[in-house]
Amino acid sequence: MAAAPRRAGRPRNPVPRERLLDVARDAFAELGYAGASMNEIAGRAGIRKSSLFHHFANKDALYLEAVGATLAPLGVEVVAAATGDGDFGARLDRLGEAVSGYLGANPQAARLLVREVLDRGPFVVGDGRGAVEALLVTIRDFLAAGMSDGAILRQDAEHLTLSIIAVHLFYFAAQPLAEPLVGADLFTQDAVAMRMSAVSRQIRALVGVPVLQ
Amino acid sequence: MAAAPRRAGRPRNPVPRERLLDVARDAFAELGYAGASMNEIAGRAGIRKSSLFHHFANKDALYLEAVGATLAPLGVEVVAAATGDGDFGARLDRLGEAVSGYLGANPQAARLLVREVLDRGPFVVGDGRGAVEALLVTIRDFLAAGMSDGAILRQDAEHLTLSIIAVHLFYFAAQPLAEPLVGADLFTQDAVAMRMSAVSRQIRALVGVPVLQ
DNA sequence: GTCTATACATCGATAGAC
DNA sequence: GTCTATCGATGTATAGAC
């Protein structure tokens, strides 16, 4: 005989909104906006699709909140590093370590953010555009100030900004390319520490910080 | 009264297979694999969805061929530059110019290839994986040989390989971020020429080619 | 080689029970 | 706050006319 149909009822195991955002972030990062269905996200969180719609008005709202929650801490750290204490070299190192630390601690963050750029999503062409543009300008101005001060070589500040972002994001976003090449899990504590030192060295070379011999 | 229904019949305007691949490449680059439907691609090419299925067995086959056709010329140029004539610096410059030239001449190429990496598609985890891994190893070995020869600074060759790829791909893939920042269309002849010189300078700094003053 | 028509699954979203 | 059930639109893919 057929199994008794599951009945609706009071929630015995309510899922916190934060948990839903974490699950959505991972799903969007892995499958993309179009590929991650509301049903898939709900299933990963252990609830039904219609329950997910109770927390978020529609798929766009869920995506916006998930990406926003990923981008915001990164923006805070970048601004803090760029406008913080110390000479240019120290602030440059702090910026690189903060970004690599965040991306290394949140394995799907870089992948999600690169997807947002490729998809020309709300943080690139929509309402969240201002926040991202301001972040880009912050980095650009930070680098341009370093050139004016003679801390780094004079060069095209805009191309330099884009390359620094590229180096930071691509490494973690391209995990299945990077892992066989470096021969290790990218997201272990050791690997992230190694990444920090490698990327710090690369960025110093890229911007042209005079090397003291 | 209702319009007479369109009738099937002999093709009056057959669409070449190459044209279908170009259209598919652009659609997959703009919308992603999941976001680009067979109906959308067929519509862009001016035919019906079922006509598209006459040329390609299924969506996967179309995607595989479209990405393969984009990746192959790039692989050829990279190998030619890395194993070609001239000293290390000349080959490094040639590699950068070949890649930027190709990505600048094919506006959706970088975006498609970065998507393939994020999606962990057939060229990253599937049957085409060998070709991409061989390409990565070619670049890595080229750089490692430069270190052994003393042409560039000794450093982590794997992280360096990934950063060079990142710099090349991200700039063109992130068009809506790059264009307002550099203040110009990325794909004009002038902009591509400027990009070539900026990226050449950056890569030389990154790898640590001794600068002759 | 293109078309019309259709089969069947899954999509985002809603209604209403508990 | 979760559930069942359902809607209409769209997804991949196929059958068969011309």
Side-chain angles (χ1 to χ4, degrees), chain A residues 111 115 118-119 163 202, chain B residues 111 115 118-119 163 202:
Chain A
R111 198 174 175 189
R115 279 197 195 274
L118 298 187
D119 287 343
S163 289
Q202 284 187 3
Chain B
R111 198 174 174 189
R115 279 199 196 273
L118 298 187
D119 287 343
S163 288
Q202 283 187 4

Side-chain angles (χ1 to χ4, degrees), chain A residues 90-110:
Chain A
R91 283 182 284 163
L92 187 68
D93 286 344
R94 180 180 164 194
L95 196 151
E97 279 167 23
V99 171
S100 283
Y102 180 76
L103 299 179
N106 298 276
Q108 299 295 3

Side-chain angles (χ1 to χ4, degrees), chain A residues 29-32 34-35 108 110-111 114-115 117-120 123-125 129 132-133 136-137 140 153-167 169-171 173-178 180-182 191 194-195 198-199 201-203 205-208, chain B residues 29-32 34-35 108 110-111 114-115 117-120 123-125 129 132-133 136-137 140 153-167 169-171 173-178 180-182 191 194-195 198-199 201-203 205-208:
Chain A
E30 292 169 24
L31 307 169
Q108 299 295 3
R111 198 174 175 189
V114 175
R115 279 197 195 274
V117 173
L118 298 187
D119 287 343
R120 307 193 181 180
F123 290 89
V124 177
V125 300
R129 179 179 170 173
V132 171
E133 277 191 354
L136 291 177
V137 169
R140 194 267 315 267
L153 290 178
R154 280 204 183 276
Q155 59 192 294
D156 186 305
E158 285 78 20
H159 284 251
L160 186 60
T161 300
L162 291 167
S163 289
I164 290 174
I165 294 170
V167 167
L169 287 180
F170 188 79
Y171 173 82
Q175 182 188 2
L177 250 45
L181 201 63
V182 307
M194 286 222 5
R195 172 64 185 168
V199 81
R201 196 218 141 279
Q202 284 187 3
I203 302 250
L206 186 59
V207 302
Chain B
E30 291 169 24
L31 307 168
Q108 299 294 4
R111 198 174 174 189
V114 175
R115 279 199 196 273
V117 173
L118 298 187
D119 287 343
R120 307 190 181 182
F123 291 90
V124 177
V125 300
R129 178 178 170 174
V132 171
E133 277 191 354
L136 291 178
V137 169
R140 193 266 314 268
L153 289 178
R154 280 203 183 277
Q155 59 192 293
D156 187 306
E158 285 76 23
H159 284 251
L160 186 59
T161 300
L162 291 167
S163 288
I164 290 174
I165 294 170
V167 167
L169 286 180
F170 188 79
Y171 174 81
Q175 182 188 5
L177 249 45
L181 202 62
V182 307
M194 286 223 3
R195 173 62 186 170
V199 81
R201 197 220 141 276
Q202 283 187 4
I203 302 251
L206 186 59
V207 301

Side-chain angles (χ1 to χ4, degrees), chain B residues 47-160:
Chain B
I47 59 175
R48 296 288 176 173
K49 177 174 50 165
S50 52
S51 307
L52 188 54
F53 276 104
H54 173 78
H55 294 276
F56 305 94
N58 48 49
K59 189 181 177 180
D60 276 20
L62 172 57
Y63 176 78
L64 192 73
E65 211 167 321
V67 177
T70 304
L71 188 58
L74 204 54
V76 169
E77 296 216 56
V78 167
V79 170
T83 65
D85 296 333
D87 66 3
F88 183 85
R91 283 182 283 162
L92 188 68
D93 285 345
R94 180 179 164 195
L95 196 151
E97 280 168 23
V99 171
S100 283
Y102 181 75
L103 298 179
N106 299 276
Q108 299 294 4
R111 198 174 174 189
L112 181 72
L113 295 179
V114 175
R115 279 199 196 273
E116 165 67 10
V117 173
L118 298 187
D119 287 343
R120 307 190 181 182
F123 291 90
V124 177
V125 300
D127 291 347
R129 178 178 170 174
V132 171
E133 277 191 354
L135 203 60
L136 291 178
V137 169
T138 297
I139 301 172
R140 193 266 314 268
D141 290 348
F142 168 66
L143 295 169
M147 294 179 204
S148 296
D149 295 352
I152 60 175
L153 289 178
R154 280 203 183 277
Q155 59 192 293
D156 187 306
E158 285 76 23
H159 284 251
L160 186 59

